C-alpha cells in the first residue's frame, strides 16, 4: 500500500477518538497552538488544508470564511457535524488531496495546515499547492510538531513522546500503529531551518517561525511575493 493510502486508512480508523486523544495527549495545549496559528492569518477567505475534524477552521471562522479540506471522508464527516452542532455557517468541507488542490490560483487570502504537512507523501508538492492557491501577498501558515531545543526538557519530553504517548494512544484509539507513527514521523520531520528552506522553494518569503510550549510545536509563517 502507498503511504497516501496508509495514512488515509489510519486517520479514518482513529477519527472517532481523534479529538479526545489530541486534548488528552497534549494536556489541553492543542487548542492554544491552533489559536496562535490562526492569529497569524489575514482576514478574508482561508483554506484549512488537512483540516481533519476542523478545529483550525473553527478557530479561523470567527473572522474569516473558511474551506476545510482533507482527503479523509470520515474526518470531514466529523468536521461537518461539529460545524452543525455549533451553528457555524461560514465553513465548507471539501474532500481534497493536499498535493493536488482543486482550487484556482490565487483563490485564498491565506492557507493553513496544522499537524498535516508531516503526513503528506510529498511535502514540497503540498507547500507548492498552498503557495499556488493563495493570492499575492497572502500568507501560508504551518503548525507542526518540533523537537524541543533545551536538552533537559527534550530528554523528558522524548521519554513521554516515544514511550508513554504510544501506549495511551493505543489503549484509547484501539489502533496499534497510529500513535507509534506519531513520534516516528515527528523524528523524521525536517528541523526548523530545513523546513524554512522548503517553504522558500515555491516562492514564499519573509519566513518567520515561533516555537510554542518549549518548542514542542512550531508555527511557520510565509508570505507569497507580489509577482
Ligand atoms: C494529524 S491530523 C490534523 C488534523 C487537524 N488539522 C488538526 O489540527 O487536528 C492530519 C490530517 O491530515 C490529513 N491528510 C494527510 N495527508 C493528506 C493529504 N495528502 N491530503 C489531504 N489530507 C491529508 C489526514 O486525513 C488527517 O485528517
Amino acid at each position: 500500500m502507498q503511504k497516501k493510502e496508509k495514512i488515509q486508512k489510519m486517520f479514518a480508523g482513529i477519527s472517532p477518538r481523534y479529538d479526545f486523544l489530541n486534548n488528552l495527549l497534549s494536556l489541553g495545549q492543542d487548542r492554544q497552538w491552533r489559536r496562535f496559528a490562526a492569529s497569524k492569518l489575514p482576514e478574508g477567505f482561508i483554506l484549512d488544508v488537512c483540516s481533519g475534524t476542523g478545529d483550525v477552521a473553527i478557530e479561523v471562522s470567527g473572522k474569516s470564511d473558511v474551506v476545510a479540506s482533507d482527503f479523509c471522508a470520515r474526518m470531514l464527516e466529523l468536521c461537518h457535524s461539529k460545524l452543525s452542532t455549533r451553528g457555524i455557517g461560514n465553513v465548507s468541507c471539501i474532500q481534497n488531496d493536499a498535493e493536488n488542490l482543486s482550487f484556482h490560483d490565487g483563490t485564498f487570502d491565506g492557507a493553513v495546515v496544522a499537524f498535516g504537512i508531516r503526513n503528506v507523501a510529498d511535502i514540497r508538492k503540498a507547500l507548492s499547492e498552498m503557495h499556488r492557491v493563495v493570492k499575492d501577498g497572502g500568507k501560508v501558515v504551518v503548525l507542526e510538531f518540533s523537537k524541543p531545543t533545551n536538552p533537559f526538557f527534550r530528554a523528558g519530553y522524548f521519554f513521554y513522546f516515544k514511550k508513554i504517548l504510544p501506549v495511551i494512544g493505543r489503549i484509547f484509539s484501539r489502533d496499534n500503529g497510529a500513535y507509534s507513527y506519531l513520534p516516528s514521523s515527528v523524528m523524521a520531520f525536517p528541523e526548523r531551518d530545513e523546513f524554512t528552506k522548503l517553504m522558500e522553494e515555491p516562492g514564499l518569503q519573509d519566513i518567520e517561525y515561533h516555537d510554542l510550549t518549549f518548542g514542542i510545536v512550531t508555527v511557520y509563517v510565509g508570505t507569497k511575493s507580489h509577482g
Side-chain angles (χ1 to χ4, degrees):
M1 209 190 295
Q2 298 282 320
K3 171 171 177 171
K4 204 174 267 191
E5 284 172 68
K6 273 192 199 155
I7 297 287
Q8 206 168 12
K9 215 170 154 217
M10 182 181 86
F11 280 107
I14 63 171
S15 58
R17 311 296 283 168
Y18 178 77
D19 284 351
F20 166 74
L21 274 164
N22 261 349
N23 198 263
L24 177 74
L25 295 171
S26 74
L27 308 175
Q29 294 295 297
D30 61 321
R31 177 131 195 235
Q32 289 167 49
W33 296 336
R34 290 193 191 86
R35 187 168 288 172
F36 182 86
S39 75
K40 295 292 168 190
L41 287 162
E43 290 185 22
F45 190 31
I46 302 297
L47 175 66
D48 178 14
V49 178
C50 299
S51 64
T53 60
D55 282 346
V56 173
I58 289 169
E59 209 55 71
V60 176
S61 68
K63 57 176 190 176
S64 295
D65 293 333
V66 190
V67 172
S69 75
D70 199 288
F71 70 178
C72 177
R74 287 240 195 110
M75 284 290 207
L76 284 180
E77 280 162 22
L78 289 166
C79 178
H80 199 262
S81 61
K82 218 192 260 185
L83 295 168
S84 306
T85 310
R86 297 186 194 188
I88 297 171
N90 61 338
V91 179
S92 333
C93 303
I94 298 182
Q95 194 169 6
N96 236 238
D97 184 347
E99 292 171 47
N100 192 13
L101 296 172
S102 64
F103 309 103
H104 293 298
D105 298 2
T107 302
F108 299 95
D109 297 290
V112 58
V113 59
F115 307 115
I117 199 81
R118 177 175 35 88
N119 299 299
V120 300
D122 187 341
I123 292 181
R124 282 188 169 86
K125 188 77 179 45
L127 287 174
S128 147
E129 280 292 85
M130 289 175 81
H131 170 266
R132 181 182 67 74
V133 300
V134 299
K135 296 173 184 162
D136 291 352
K139 299 281 181 197
V140 170
V141 175
V142 179
L143 165 59
E144 194 47 87
F145 284 109
S146 277
K147 300 172 198 94
T149 46
N150 178 298
F152 297 106
F153 180 78
R154 189 174 168 126
Y157 172 70
F158 278 178
F159 179 75
Y160 164 74
F161 200 52
K162 292 179 187 176
K163 304 283 181 205
I164 299 174
L165 178 147
V167 177
I168 303 174
R170 195 181 315 136
I171 293 167
F172 286 99
S173 70
R174 297 179 202 110
D175 182 300
N176 277 333
Y179 287 88
S180 304
Y181 162 79
L182 171 60
S184 63
S185 64
V186 173
M187 293 307 134
F189 192 71
E191 291 285 356
R192 295 159 182 82
D193 288 345
E194 205 186 327
F195 188 72
T196 298
K197 289 200 182 91
L198 288 178
M199 285 184 74
E200 282 168 349
E201 279 184 19
L204 291 165
Q205 293 183 330
D206 306 325
I207 317 282
E208 49 182 72
Y209 66 75
H210 308 266
D211 279 340
L212 305 180
T213 318
F214 306 105
I216 289 178
V217 300
T218 304
V219 174
Y220 301 85
V221 186
T223 306
K224 181 168 175 175
S225 60
H226 288 272

